[in-house]
Amino acid sequence: MNPFEFKNPTKIIFGKDSIKKLENEIPTDAKVLLLYGGGSIKTNGIYNQVKKALEKVNVTEFGGIPANPEYAVLMDALKIIKNENITYLLAVGGGSVIDGTKFLASAAIYDGDTPWDILSKNIRTEKGMPFGTVLTLPATGSEMNSGAVITREETKEKLAMGGPGLFPEFSILDPQVIASIPQRQLANGITDAFTHVLEQYMTYPVEASLQDRFAESILQTLIEIAPKILKDPTDYKAASNFIWSCTMALNGLIQKGVPTDWAVHAMGHELTALFGIDHARTLAVIAPSHYKFNFESKKEKLEQYAERVWNITEGSIDSKAHTAIEKTITFFHELGINTKLSDYTKDYDGTAEEIAKRFTNRGWLGLGEHQSLSPDKVEKIVKMTY
Amino acid sequence: MNPFEFKNPTKIIFGKDSIKKLENEIPTDAKVLLLYGGGSIKTNGIYNQVKKALEKVNVTEFGGIPANPEYAVLMDALKIIKNENITYLLAVGGGSVIDGTKFLASAAIYDGDTPWDILSKNIRTEKGMPFGTVLTLPATGSEMNSGAVITREETKEKLAMGGPGLFPEFSILDPQVIASIPQRQLANGITDAFTHVLEQYMTYPVEASLQDRFAESILQTLIEIAPKILKDPTDYKAASNFIWSCTMALNGLIQKGVPTDWAVHAMGHELTALFGIDHARTLAVIAPSHYKFNFESKKEKLEQYAERVWNITEGSIDSKAHTAIEKTITFFHELGINTKLSDYTKDYDGTAEEIAKRFTNRGWLGLGEHQSLSPDKVEKIVKMTY
């Protein structure tokens, strides 16, 4: 087990009708900016529940944060925060709204030249404006971590930010929200969380037995609940395990004391930036090729994954490891998620070279758990997805 | 899955030579009371490491906190806190020293008649004096939770306390401390953590799939590392998994969203209060009889435990569940832990009646996950341990 530090102060409020507990969490003298996305919360009842719980609080609203939260849109919200002397942010949405809110929590008190620096210079946020979340779409784990990813359409970039000042003060998780989520988003959420775990697990063994088993626990639970959720999103028990698995997949716990990879995300972000493919789907495109390309360095963990998660106990290490990759692809397919870039676009020619070039320009010369995944290897992996 | 709230703000600092990081965690203008136990930290080098890290801080010391931290001793420490205007507490020890420190963190700012009220009236501590810990003996999980158990020799009582004000600000976990722990304490630590998990797991199913798997992960890891640790406490990898398993066993995570029992602890505490038997050993005495007595209401989880933790996949539910109890007893025996009260004392006559009477007097009329374990049932369970 590697050395680590772990602290996660976010308060989780989990359960049926928990949105009404909002009123206990936000100071009554706060000036709140309520942030949300495309407006589905107005049709599924969540908006009304939130407004009712905040009756006694001064609330301004900002809707329209898009999937892959867009810098230009967020800059409009930032103006409101400054002009209205907002003191507290409330994200009501999925990962995009929460990530956008994290950027705003940082930008609201950033005193450099331009908030873009926070992203382009990867400036760590030690302190941000306080904020809470009401999760409406489980997937990213953003409700219980301190990281965010922001997109800038103008430059076709998608960059990460974070810091200890960006943990939500609280997050409200009501499994009933699952009932109104479209199938496509449910499948994305399962795939996103599943891949988050893989990024923190599919590396090399360091005898971190407990972390490995926790990671496997999340994978097993996602596999178990996936067909139930897709069949019936009103299945409250399955929905509960779905939400909690997504949160635990990326709240920092399973990555402590182990090597992590994150190259799948790095490559996947580029596919979203270039083609607008859903984040989760880009991960399902990249992951299988990534594991095949890096087979030798990952095969011990692939074998452990094969045995413990997929019950593949017969055969050689190589055979078990390969079968586990195939099982993973089948799992994505059963969710209705395609796993080839060519399934999403016909304009894939040159994508691998473009991504490799971007990584080179950013100085990303060695990704992955061994810091050895150079741009030429990235190019090969992306080509395998055509 | 049941509704829950979860927040755990303790910062964990984990790894080799992490004690030196103390200097970054305690404010330099603090007046620190350094609390420890019987003095083993002076022979194993930990005391020197702590003092070196605190060179720039004003430190007063209080040693001699006994196993089962004694109220009268702690009241002496409380005088020092008041007289010396102490502002920060640092526990260097195992669960007893940390629990004692939690009592002091609460008592130091309690303004009622007598600090005994905190225990006898079970007063929740919303705010306590800030404190950190350097863990020297993994077992209780006290380093990452907000609860404590205090003993009063005068009245032969052992009572619990807690509250959100009693999370350590930080806890330093250096697996190297395991190397100097005597075998008896190592066996106790494994048994204690194992039983903590069972108290939060061996109830009835609520389809909290992730929590169940996390609990099973800790049990599997403890079973895996137990022989390694007892054979060679300098095995750093096993020690790392041992410490982290003990911490995760009782930091609140696995108990959220599921029913919990804790009747084994309630009965076990009385055996310590009456006979001075090591806490962990009382749990190993009570647990098997408790599961046998409550077999019908616990057998579904006993079967799941049998299958997933002990790989018992053949036979009826009852048969698998019974075998799992026997496996648990064997596990304790292999640790060198006896599982009958009569193994520890010849004066056991009347113990069951005495414990039942105490529970009646305290109004503890329905323990366990169904609040149905009445004092007459407690009496029967304790008799089964003779």
Side-chain angles (χ1 to χ4, degrees):
Chain A
M1 197 182 301
N2 299 337
F4 66 85
E5 295 193 0
F6 176 71
K7 175 173 176 162
N8 188 324
T10 298
K11 177 179 180 180
I12 296 293
I13 301 166
F14 189 104
K16 203 171 274 191
D17 300 329
S18 50
I19 293 174
K20 64 185 176 205
K21 294 189 180 171
L22 251 183
E23 64 182 329
N24 309 322
E25 302 302 324
I26 297 183
T28 48
D29 61 350
K31 281 200 73 175
V32 176
L33 184 62
L34 166 60
L35 296 130
Y36 55 94
S40 61
I41 61 167
K42 293 203 174 165
T43 52
N44 62 20
I46 294 172
Y47 176 83
N48 286 340
Q49 292 177 59
V50 168
K51 290 290 277 185
K52 184 148 187 258
L54 293 180
E55 265 172 1
K56 295 174 189 155
V57 185
N58 183 328
V59 180
T60 305
E61 295 184 23
F62 185 88
I65 297 177
N68 306 308
E70 163 57 33
Y71 181 72
V73 174
L74 296 170
M75 291 303 281
D76 288 340
L78 186 59
K79 277 181 208 149
I80 295 174
I81 291 171
K82 303 268 185 183
N83 292 342
E84 305 282 331
N85 297 312
I86 296 294
T87 63
Y88 203 102
L89 307 178
L90 177 64
V92 180
S96 296
V97 173
I98 300 173
D99 279 14
T101 300
K102 286 178 180 172
F103 169 75
L104 292 169
S106 177
I109 59 176
Y110 179 70
D111 62 359
D113 288 341
T114 160
W116 183 245
D117 290 349
I118 301 167
L119 292 151
S120 65
K121 298 181 182 169
N122 202 1
I123 294 170
R124 182 176 153 99
T125 303
E126 297 293 338
K127 189 175 171 352
M129 180 172 283
F131 69 100
T133 90
V134 175
L135 184 68
T136 63
L137 185 64
T140 71
S142 190
E143 65 278 7
M144 200 184 181
N145 67 40
S146 61
V149 178
I150 304 296
T151 296
R152 192 172 191 178
E153 180 59 30
E154 188 187 344
T155 53
K156 288 211 181 290
E157 284 181 287
K158 192 167 176 182
L159 296 173
M161 57 176 290
L166 293 182
F167 283 103
E169 291 203 327
F170 66 85
S171 283
I172 294 183
L173 280 51
D174 181 347
Q176 293 175 121
V177 303
I178 308 294
S180 62
I181 299 174
Q183 290 275 311
R184 176 192 182 89
Q185 304 280 19
L186 292 172
N188 282 352
I190 294 164
T191 301
D192 197 24
F194 198 87
T195 315
H196 287 160
V197 178
L198 292 181
E199 295 270 42
Q200 302 164 84
Y201 172 85
M202 204 61 78
T203 56
Y204 54 89
V206 293
E207 292 192 41
S209 308
L210 191 58
Q211 290 92 325
D212 277 3
R213 287 198 174 92
F214 277 6
E216 292 151 3
S217 295
I218 301 171
L219 297 173
Q220 289 171 307
T221 303
L222 287 169
I223 292 166
E224 178 183 281
I225 58 89
K228 295 182 187 176
I229 283 289
L230 291 179
K231 188 177 166 205
D232 178 13
T234 68
D235 179 338
Y236 182 82
K237 288 175 179 174
S240 300
N241 283 302
F242 173 33
I243 291 203
W244 196 222
S245 292
C246 291
T247 303
M248 293 301 304
L250 199 53
N251 69 354
L253 185 67
I254 63 168
Q255 79 178 35
K256 294 303 172 182
V258 299
T260 56
D261 184 345
W262 296 110
V264 172
H265 270 70
M267 291 180 265
H269 285 333
E270 300 305 321
L271 296 184
T272 300
L274 289 167
F275 300 106
I277 303 169
D278 294 356
H279 169 62
R281 286 162 202 256
T282 69
L283 304 175
V285 166
I286 298 289
S289 297
H290 183 62
Y291 299 143
K292 285 176 188 170
F293 184 85
N294 296 288
F295 189 81
E296 281 305 315
S297 68
K298 288 181 185 288
K299 72 180 183 187
E300 286 174 270
K301 287 303 281 286
L302 279 165
E303 185 207 15
Q304 183 177 316
Y305 166 67
E307 290 195 344
R308 295 192 185 172
V309 175
W310 294 108
N311 299 313
I312 304 161
T313 52
E314 304 289 314
S316 65
I317 293 186
D318 283 31
S319 149
K320 285 187 273 187
H322 278 300
T323 308
I325 296 173
E326 295 309 316
K327 284 273 189 186
T328 309
I329 295 170
T330 304
F331 176 62
F332 292 145
H333 288 170
E334 284 169 355
L335 295 172
I337 303 266
N338 288 318
T339 54
K340 287 286 181 187
L341 180 57
S342 47
D343 296 325
Y344 295 89
T345 177
K346 292 199 163 60
D347 298 330
Y348 52 77
D349 264 353
T351 304
E353 292 82 352
E354 169 65 19
I355 293 175
K357 193 175 79 183
R358 287 179 170 208
F359 284 15
T360 302
N361 291 344
R362 286 193 208 123
W364 293 5
L365 305 179
L367 297 179
E369 67 271 24
H370 296 291
Q371 294 82 50
S372 62
L373 198 79
S374 50
D376 63 302
K377 292 177 183 167
V378 165
E379 189 177 319
K380 285 177 184 151
I381 291 167
V382 177
K383 277 199 179 146
M384 289 167 71
T385 73
Y386 288 1
Chain B
M1 196 183 300
N2 299 337
F4 66 86
E5 295 192 1
F6 176 71
K7 176 174 176 162
N8 189 323
T10 298
K11 177 179 180 179
I12 296 294
I13 301 165
F14 189 103
K16 203 171 274 188
D17 301 329
S18 50
I19 293 173
K20 64 184 175 206
K21 295 189 179 172
L22 249 183
E23 63 182 331
N24 308 322
E25 302 301 325
I26 297 182
T28 47
D29 60 350
K31 281 203 72 175
V32 176
L33 184 61
L34 164 61
L35 296 129
Y36 55 93
S40 61
I41 62 166
K42 292 203 174 164
T43 53
N44 62 20
I46 294 172
Y47 175 85
N48 286 340
Q49 292 177 61
V50 168
K51 291 289 278 186
K52 182 145 188 262
L54 293 180
E55 264 172 2
K56 293 173 190 159
V57 185
N58 182 328
V59 179
T60 306
E61 294 183 24
F62 185 88
I65 297 176
N68 306 310
E70 164 59 32
Y71 181 72
V73 174
L74 295 170
M75 291 302 282
D76 288 340
L78 185 59
K79 277 182 209 148
I80 295 174
I81 291 171
K82 304 267 185 185
N83 292 342
E84 305 282 331
N85 298 313
I86 296 294
T87 63
Y88 203 104
L89 307 178
L90 177 64
V92 180
S96 297
V97 173
I98 299 172
D99 278 14
T101 300
K102 286 178 180 172
F103 169 76
L104 291 169
S106 178
I109 59 176
Y110 180 71
D111 61 1
D113 288 343
T114 160
W116 183 244
D117 290 348
I118 301 167
L119 291 151
S120 64
K121 297 180 182 170
N122 201 1
I123 294 171
R124 182 176 153 99
T125 303
E126 297 294 338
K127 190 176 173 348
M129 180 172 283
F131 69 100
T133 90
V134 175
L135 185 68
T136 63
L137 185 65
T140 72
S142 191
E143 65 278 8
M144 201 185 180
N145 67 39
S146 61
V149 178
I150 303 297
T151 296
R152 191 172 191 177
E153 180 58 31
E154 188 187 343
T155 53
K156 287 209 180 292
E157 283 180 289
K158 190 168 179 181
L159 297 173
M161 59 176 289
L166 294 181
F167 283 102
E169 291 203 328
F170 67 86
S171 283
I172 293 182
L173 279 52
D174 181 346
Q176 293 175 122
V177 304
I178 308 292
S180 62
I181 298 174
Q183 290 275 311
R184 175 192 182 89
Q185 305 278 21
L186 293 172
N188 283 351
I190 295 164
T191 302
D192 197 23
F194 198 87
T195 316
H196 287 159
V197 178
L198 292 181
E199 296 270 41
Q200 301 164 88
Y201 172 86
M202 204 62 78
T203 57
Y204 54 90
V206 294
E207 292 191 41
S209 308
L210 190 59
Q211 290 91 327
D212 277 3
R213 287 198 174 93
F214 278 4
E216 291 151 5
S217 294
I218 301 172
L219 297 173
Q220 288 171 306
T221 303
L222 287 168
I223 291 166
E224 178 183 283
I225 59 89
K228 294 182 187 175
I229 282 290
L230 291 180
K231 188 177 166 205
D232 178 12
T234 69
D235 179 338
Y236 183 83
K237 288 175 178 173
S240 299
N241 284 302
F242 174 33
I243 291 202
W244 196 222
S245 293
C246 291
T247 302
M248 292 302 303
L250 199 53
N251 69 353
L253 186 67
I254 62 168
Q255 79 178 35
K256 293 304 172 181
V258 298
T260 56
D261 184 345
W262 297 110
V264 171
H265 271 70
M267 292 181 263
H269 285 333
E270 299 305 320
L271 297 183
T272 300
L274 289 167
F275 300 106
I277 302 169
D278 294 355
H279 169 61
R281 286 162 201 256
T282 68
L283 304 176
V285 165
I286 296 289
S289 297
H290 183 62
Y291 299 142
K292 286 176 187 169
F293 185 85
N294 296 288
F295 189 81
E296 281 306 314
S297 68
K298 287 180 185 288
K299 74 180 182 187
E300 285 175 270
K301 288 304 281 287
L302 278 165
E303 185 207 16
Q304 183 176 318
Y305 167 68
E307 289 195 346
R308 296 193 186 171
V309 176
W310 293 109
N311 298 314
I312 303 161
T313 52
E314 304 287 315
S316 64
I317 292 185
D318 283 32
S319 149
K320 284 188 273 188
H322 277 300
T323 307
I325 297 174
E326 294 309 314
K327 283 273 188 187
T328 309
I329 295 170
T330 303
F331 176 63
F332 292 145
H333 288 170
E334 284 169 357
L335 295 172
I337 302 266
N338 288 318
T339 53
K340 287 286 181 187
L341 181 57
S342 47
D343 295 325
Y344 294 91
T345 176
K346 293 201 162 61
D347 298 330
Y348 53 77
D349 265 351
T351 304
E353 293 83 350
E354 169 64 19
I355 293 176
K357 193 174 79 183
R358 287 178 170 209
F359 284 14
T360 303
N361 290 344
R362 285 193 209 123
W364 294 5
L365 305 179
L367 298 180
E369 67 272 24
H370 295 292
Q371 294 82 50
S372 63
L373 198 80
S374 50
D376 63 304
K377 291 176 183 167
V378 165
E379 190 177 319
K380 285 178 185 150
I381 292 168
V382 177
K383 277 198 177 146
M384 288 167 71
T385 73
Y386 288 180

